[in-house]
Amino acid sequence: MKYALVTGGSRGIGRAVCIKLASMGIPVIINYQSNSEAALETQRLIVDAGGRAELMQFDVTDEAAVTNALDNWENEHPDDYIAYLVNNAGIRKDSMMFMMPDSDWHSVIDTTLNGFFYVTRRVLPKMMRRRHGGRIINMASLSGLKGLPGQTNYSAAKAALIGATKSLAQETAQRAVSVNAVAPGFIESDMTKDLDEEELKKLVPMNRFGKPEEVAALVGFLCTDESSYITGQVIGINGGLYT
């Protein structure tokens, strides 16, 4: 059976993606780091709607934890594999660069970029061997395309993720594995709750923040057979707020 793994899947965009993929009939693995209550709530929402969901706790920045969790899952699911990977885990620690502590730089880079590397490297071999249309979707950001003040660390991480997406797509294309990035603009979520929505939405031609479900719909499409010829792309979802 083909499963989907969504990192940072317990809240916000990650939760919406989990719910969307489950509604498409794909069993979902909800990764989370520490908020078990939110993860259980996401699982409940999926199960109550008739979907299938499992929880998998690990910190994407911890290579040993990633490997151990996925080894255990594969041992428990010898006939199944992860065909859909959504690298969604990410954090923001905004400040002007001249005041940014080392820890804020490293933690943001580690979560987005090293998290992508550790999880994708571990999942990819089996996905490629199957040659059944694996899908990797990386959650980038408008910040990685445009750059935003106060987000040098976040913009750097997301821009690097975009570069990695384009490179990896060329490595995996002949094995029928597509790799794309989704670049949301301002989306209503835990990540943006501290932003001044009334002021920022004035920058958006649609004059509103997006909804997690709208991002999830795009991710869902990228996991379908209809998207099989799309790879190495960065697809913005930003209400017209272009770079």
Side-chain angles (χ1 to χ4, degrees):
M1 184 172 290
K2 296 180 178 182
Y3 277 74
L5 169 60
V6 182
T7 65
S10 64
R11 297 179 295 169
I13 292 174
R15 171 179 286 182
V17 169
C18 288
I19 291 171
K20 175 62 178 179
L21 296 182
S23 76
M24 296 165 57
I26 302 171
V28 175
I29 304 166
I30 305 164
N31 160 255
Y32 68 103
Q33 179 179 351
S34 58
N35 193 336
S36 58
E37 184 177 346
L40 285 166
E41 174 64 10
T42 303
Q43 183 184 39
R44 184 191 66 77
L45 290 168
I46 290 171
V47 172
D48 286 354
R52 296 180 57 185
E54 302 176 12
L55 302 183
M56 185 183 289
Q57 182 178 13
F58 62 79
D59 179 351
V60 297
T61 70
D62 185 335
E63 180 185 4
V66 170
T67 300
N68 184 61
L70 289 168
D71 283 350
N72 289 339
W73 185 87
E74 289 184 352
N75 290 334
E76 294 169 1
H77 297 78
D79 299 322
D80 305 321
Y81 76 107
I82 294 168
Y84 313 96
L85 171 60
V86 183
N87 287 302
N88 172 73
I91 59 172
R92 279 180 47 226
K93 289 185 179 290
D94 296 353
S95 68
M96 301 302 287
M97 186 174 176
F98 74 93
M99 298 188 297
M100 185 178 292
D102 289 358
S103 59
D104 286 2
W105 173 266
H106 289 296
S107 62
V108 170
I109 297 290
D110 284 350
T111 303
T112 290
L113 200 56
N114 290 343
F116 152 79
F117 175 66
Y118 294 144
V119 178
T120 306
R121 183 181 59 176
R122 177 60 183 76
V123 169
L124 194 55
K126 186 167 287 190
M127 188 186 291
M128 293 175 68
R129 284 198 299 270
R130 296 282 180 147
R131 295 177 182 265
H132 288 166
R135 300 286 185 266
I136 298 171
I137 297 100
N138 298 320
M139 199 60 64
S141 171
L142 176 70
S143 185
L145 292 168
K146 183 180 187 298
L148 292 174
Q151 290 194 337
T152 305
N153 50 359
Y154 190 72
S155 294
K158 296 300 187 180
L161 184 63
I162 288 169
T165 297
K166 294 180 178 183
S167 181
L168 182 60
Q170 296 176 62
E171 296 180 9
T172 63
Q174 291 188 344
R175 299 297 184 94
V177 175
S178 69
V179 187
N180 292 290
V182 173
F186 296 118
I187 306 295
E188 296 173 355
S189 71
D190 291 345
M191 289 277 283
T192 59
K193 65 184 179 181
D194 61 329
L195 300 180
D196 188 341
E197 181 173 347
E198 288 304 310
E199 282 300 313
L200 289 173
K201 74 180 184 181
K202 295 175 184 177
L203 304 175
V204 183
M206 286 190 173
N207 196 39
R208 68 175 179 87
F209 277 21
K211 299 182 182 303
E213 292 76 15
E214 292 171 313
V215 180
L218 174 56
V219 173
F221 170 70
L222 291 173
C223 288
T224 65
D225 291 341
E226 287 82 0
S227 73
S228 61
Y229 200 56
I230 302 172
T231 195
Q233 302 304 303
V234 184
I235 305 174
I237 178 164
N238 53 39
L241 182 58
Y242 294 108
T243 57

